[in-house]
Amino acid sequence: VRYAGQLTGARACGTVPAPCPSSLAAMPHILIVEDEVAIADTLIFALQSEGFSTHWLTLASAALAYQQATPADLWILDVGLPDLSGFEACKQLRRFSEVPVLFLTARNAEIDRVVGLEIGADDYVTKPFSPREVAARVKAMNDGQRALRVTVNNKHTLSCLD
């Protein structure tokens, strides 16, 4: 579990940790739900460089519980998680929260992108990805610009603005 670049507790967390320290409360808070350490570390670095606070969990069930206890401002959600699929987690999340969701996944088939957006995601980016681009998308989503862009292999396939 990471708070602003500091490692606390277990590295890969399956339980709901304590809320973020109050010193980070003013920064937009991004919940990263990703089971691959290297990807999570890359996202944490890129987002914290842009002024976001981050929290990383490896299990969808823990992320859902975390959102109810300590709501994040935006989720970055992998589809292939060990306990629930990211799609199922997004469906469950939408039952109690409208927090913006960006899927970040290796699943790049058109049907996966469509399903992800139809079940409530605000954006969908496929791996491999540019950390700077993901940070820019998070910033745009957080700023309320709500730009919807689906990216496959670093090429835009759909763009529209609310």
Side-chain angles (χ1 to χ4, degrees):
V1 180
R2 287 187 182 271
Y3 294 113
Q6 297 176 15
L7 186 61
T8 60
R11 187 160 181 77
C13 179
T15 60
V16 180
C20 280
S22 59
S23 64
L24 299 179
M27 294 190 294
H29 184 63
I30 312 303
L31 180 60
I32 300 166
V33 189
E34 170 63 62
D35 60 329
E36 294 183 42
V37 175
I39 291 173
D41 283 344
T42 299
L43 289 169
I44 289 164
F45 179 80
L47 293 168
Q48 288 179 359
S49 295
E50 293 294 325
F52 294 101
S53 72
T54 61
H55 188 80
W56 168 43
L57 294 171
T58 61
L59 299 176
S61 56
L64 291 164
Y66 183 87
Q67 184 67 20
Q68 289 181 325
T70 312
D73 297 309
L74 186 141
W75 278 35
I76 297 178
L77 181 60
D78 188 11
V79 173
L81 296 167
D83 60 341
L84 294 172
S85 79
F87 292 149
E88 181 58 32
C90 188
K91 284 193 250 181
Q92 290 183 26
L93 176 67
R94 287 295 174 240
R95 293 181 190 145
F96 66 89
S97 177
E98 289 300 318
V99 64
V101 173
L102 181 151
F103 274 116
L104 181 65
T105 180
R107 295 179 66 165
N108 63 4
E110 179 185 23
I111 189 66
D112 294 319
R113 298 189 312 268
V114 170
V115 166
L117 295 169
E118 285 181 348
I119 62 174
D122 298 275
D123 203 348
Y124 194 106
V125 176
T126 59
K127 298 172 186 173
F129 65 96
S130 158
R132 290 179 59 197
E133 179 184 353
V134 170
R137 287 170 181 269
V138 167
K139 191 171 183 180
M141 291 169 72
N142 187 67
D143 289 345
Q145 296 171 8
R146 309 293 280 183
L148 172 64
R149 297 179 184 95
V150 178
T151 301
V152 178
N153 298 331
N154 295 322
K155 296 179 184 174
H156 292 301
T157 57
L158 168 71
S159 291
C160 78
L161 295 173
D162 285 347

